[in-house]
Amino acid sequence: MKLKTKIHFLSTLMMLILLILSNLGIYFTFDKRLHHTEYTQLLGSAKELTVALSKMTDEEEAEIVLRAYVPPNGALRVAGADGDDILTVQSMEGYDKKFPVPTKDEAFTIVPYEGYEALSIAIPTIWPTGEVVQLQMTQVLTDLKANLGLLRVVMVGITLLAMIPIIISSMTLGRIVTQPIEKLILAMTASRRSGTFQQIAVPENGKDELAQMGQTFNELMIQLEQNYTKQEKFVSDASHELKTPITVIDSYARLLQRRGMDKPEIAEEALTAIRSETKRMTEMIEQMLNLARNNEPASYLFEPADIRSLTGEAIHMISRAYNRPIRLTAPSRLEATTDSAHLKQLILILLDNARKYSEQPIDVTIAEEETVVRISIRDHGKGIPAKDIPFLFDRFYRVDEDRNRKTGGTGLGLAIANEIAIGLGAKLDIESEEGDGTEVTIRIVKHPASQ
Ligand code: ADP
């Protein structure tokens, strides 16, 4: 069954059950109330009659009074102590049937009588002869039946009338709920078929859950599309970047094959080039894997760490490997909650760039700024042109001049650094002046609240 039909059917059924139950409640309360009113009225006139009889001494006179008190649709009996009728009076022909008398525990009895109900009561009284008799009064409830019948008709009519807006509103409700879902299904089916990322039309200032669902779906589609495009670009960039060293290797291998056997200097040159390109490819593949790993948030483990000592370790590694002087200015100890391994990797990437693109000593400064720790890596190299700065975090992006040199570097270092900074919740800023050098600053929150 379709969701729309389910909502429509269930809400209508629920409302119908509710209406029927409330109508039944009203009907039975009324029914009880009307019977009670009939009973109290009959009892009232019986009591009046008893008072009137108590003042009389003459049986004939009593009989006249009794005739005056007989109910409009009913009968009146005076029964002696032995149960025999002393007197029976009825308002209409045929009401001379003996109606059951209530027992001591009952207030009244009700029996069916010619399509109606007959209500009977009995009270003791003193007959003009001085004998204690029982006064039995019966009322045939013709008006009550008519009133209850009218009530039933009114209730059925109201229920049927009420069903019209209920059916309309349940259909509207079904449509309101299912329309956005149908739109979603259509968009998803179309996206699946065409391999695109289709969005749905959502009311701009819609605040309800359905509007939110539509907005979230559109956001998801945008994100999927961006990721897909990014991924596609990465694959094409990566294959393009890998093609260059492969072409170089291939052409040197051919040179080696053709002329390398006789000329050792050509063989030497070819093998050196092949080794250097192989090294570059290995480095690039390692960095690509690194990039994929750093994308996983689960690989980050936040623990208290001494920023000075971990920066010192990174400095030591670079300065020893490349024999480059690196100066550190920092407080003797500065603790922060972070992932030491990733932060160290980030500092290593920035130090490596600083040493690659400058000749002079490198300056590293660590300082505390309220809730933030700032680590700045400054080199005094050639700097980066302002037009390139916005693209430095793009994968495989390299400043033209460095790309043309075709030596070292893959254009992945800063992309990896940026991914790590995101993982660490850190901010990465690059300031550079052509000819004056570059300063890259990492800002990490000392104690991130979520950790
Ligand atoms: P690469 O492996 O080429 O160094 P990066 O992503 O680390 O890749 O850097 C991208 C480009 O940014 C580099 O090719 C270089 O042109 C430029 N760059 C990065 N750091 C510096 C720096 N400290 N000084 C000058 N240029 C830099």
Side-chain angles (χ1 to χ4, degrees):
M1 201 193 279
K2 277 195 154 192
L3 181 62
K4 199 195 296 185
T5 325
K6 267 190 212 165
I7 294 174
H8 173 44
F9 178 72
L10 280 177
S11 57
T12 310
L13 188 73
M14 287 287 287
M15 288 307 288
L16 185 68
I17 292 175
L18 233 118
L19 263 174
I20 290 177
L21 284 180
S22 64
N23 278 349
L24 283 177
I26 295 171
Y27 181 80
F28 285 113
T29 314
F30 245 80
D31 179 273
K32 216 169 155 206
R33 190 78 235 146
L34 287 178
H35 278 97
H36 189 75
T37 310
E38 293 286 353
Y39 160 68
T40 44
Q41 276 174 2
L42 200 62
L43 188 66
S45 59
K47 279 186 180 158
E48 268 180 44
L49 184 57
T50 314
V51 174
L53 285 176
S54 66
K55 291 178 191 150
M56 281 169 204
T57 48
D58 182 8
E59 263 191 277
E60 267 180 41
E61 200 186 345
E63 204 179 317
I64 296 165
V65 174
L66 276 183
R67 285 189 192 286
Y69 273 90
V70 68
N73 291 310
L76 210 155
R77 268 180 80 215
V78 178
D82 50 6
D84 288 348
D85 283 355
I86 297 176
L87 188 75
T88 308
V89 194
Q90 61 262 350
S91 58
M92 279 163 77
E93 278 304 305
Y95 283 1
D96 51 355
K97 174 183 173 209
K98 268 198 179 179
F99 292 100
V101 179
T103 59
K104 265 191 202 130
D105 305 330
E106 294 172 324
F108 55 86
T109 60
I110 288 185
V111 287
Y113 178 72
E114 293 181 357
Y116 296 100
E117 285 177 326
L119 185 145
S120 307
I121 58 164
I123 56 169
T125 187
I126 299 175
W127 196 240
T129 54
E131 189 188 350
V132 175
V133 294
Q134 200 181 40
L135 187 64
Q136 299 170 0
M137 279 178 99
T138 299
Q139 164 86 62
V140 178
L141 307 175
T142 47
D143 289 351
L144 184 139
K145 186 180 173 176
N147 287 340
L148 284 179
L150 181 68
L151 185 64
R152 275 197 298 269
V153 172
V154 170
M155 280 177 164
V156 171
I158 287 178
T159 308
L160 290 179
L161 270 176
M163 284 317 287
I164 298 170
I166 289 172
I167 289 173
I168 293 174
S169 67
S170 75
M171 278 166 80
T172 318
L173 178 73
R175 211 171 313 123
I176 291 175
V177 173
T178 54
Q179 218 172 30
I181 299 175
E182 279 166 4
K183 274 204 264 176
L184 272 188
I185 295 171
L186 275 178
M188 285 194 263
T189 316
S191 298
R192 189 171 52 81
R193 285 212 185 110
S194 60
T196 54
F197 299 89
Q198 297 199 3
Q199 295 180 31
I200 54 168
V202 187
E204 253 177 46
N205 32 20
K207 293 268 181 286
D208 61 14
E209 287 81 352
L210 291 172
Q212 273 175 24
M213 183 179 77
Q215 284 152 4
T216 313
F217 174 79
N218 284 349
E219 282 162 17
L220 182 74
M221 280 292 156
I222 294 172
Q223 204 176 347
L224 277 178
E225 190 167 16
Q226 281 172 350
N227 284 350
Y228 181 78
T229 320
K230 238 162 93 179
Q231 209 70 14
E232 218 173 28
K233 188 171 179 307
F234 179 70
V235 172
S236 92
D237 287 352
S239 33
H240 181 260
E241 292 295 323
L242 286 171
K243 227 158 83 186
T244 320
I246 288 174
T247 315
V248 176
I249 291 173
D250 184 53
S251 62
Y252 274 108
R254 271 196 251 177
L255 179 71
L256 193 64
Q257 210 174 27
R258 267 189 286 123
R259 295 163 52 199
M261 303 302 165
D262 329 317
K263 295 193 173 148
E265 66 282 4
I266 291 186
E268 179 65 30
E269 185 200 333
L271 287 173
T272 311
I274 289 173
R275 280 196 63 190
S276 128
E277 288 305 308
T278 316
K279 190 168 160 254
R280 212 167 99 76
M281 264 171 69
T282 315
E283 191 187 325
M284 200 184 287
I285 290 166
E286 254 170 35
Q287 282 190 321
M288 284 187 211
L289 289 173
N290 215 328
L291 204 55
R293 267 200 301 273
N294 284 317
N295 259 333
E296 295 163 15
S299 65
Y300 288 81
L301 181 68
F302 284 72
E303 272 169 349
D306 179 16
I307 304 300
R308 183 194 167 106
S309 82
L310 76 86
T311 310
E313 285 165 25
I315 291 175
H316 186 66
M317 281 168 76
I318 296 287
S319 75
R320 208 180 47 183
Y322 299 99
N323 197 20
R324 289 286 299 271
I326 303 175
R327 298 182 290 234
L328 173 65
T329 313
S332 58
R333 192 182 158 78
L334 187 50
E335 206 176 84
T337 306
T338 188
D339 180 316
S340 330
H342 278 105
L343 182 60
K344 195 163 152 189
Q345 194 188 351
L346 172 59
I347 298 170
L348 278 172
I349 294 172
L350 301 178
L351 281 175
D352 194 42
N353 275 354
R355 70 95 204 153
K356 265 196 295 190
Y357 303 107
S358 74
E359 306 291 333
Q360 281 103 326
I362 299 160
D363 288 304
V364 179
T365 315
I366 304 177
E368 209 175 345
E369 290 173 353
E370 291 179 1
T371 55
V372 169
V373 175
R374 174 170 62 82
I375 308 162
S376 304
I377 294 142
R378 168 147 188 87
D379 64 61
H380 304 277
K382 59 194 182 71
I384 307 167
K387 67 167 178 48
D388 291 302
I389 293 184
F391 309 104
L392 292 177
F393 294 141
D394 291 357
R395 291 162 182 186
F396 302 108
Y397 189 84
R398 305 191 70 204
V399 174
D400 282 345
E401 194 192 322
D402 294 319
R403 181 174 286 279
N404 292 339
R405 279 203 302 163
K406 294 205 189 307
T407 46
T410 55
L412 284 174
L414 285 178
I416 297 173
N418 188 43
E419 297 281 356
I420 297 176
I422 293 170
L424 289 175
K427 206 169 164 300
L428 210 54
D429 286 313
I430 302 180
E431 279 176 40
S432 191
E433 189 81 34
E434 265 188 284
D436 188 36
T438 306
E439 179 166 277
V440 187
T441 307
I442 310 167
R443 282 190 176 82
I444 55 167
V445 179
K446 252 194 289 178
H447 301 291
S450 56
Q451 302 309 318

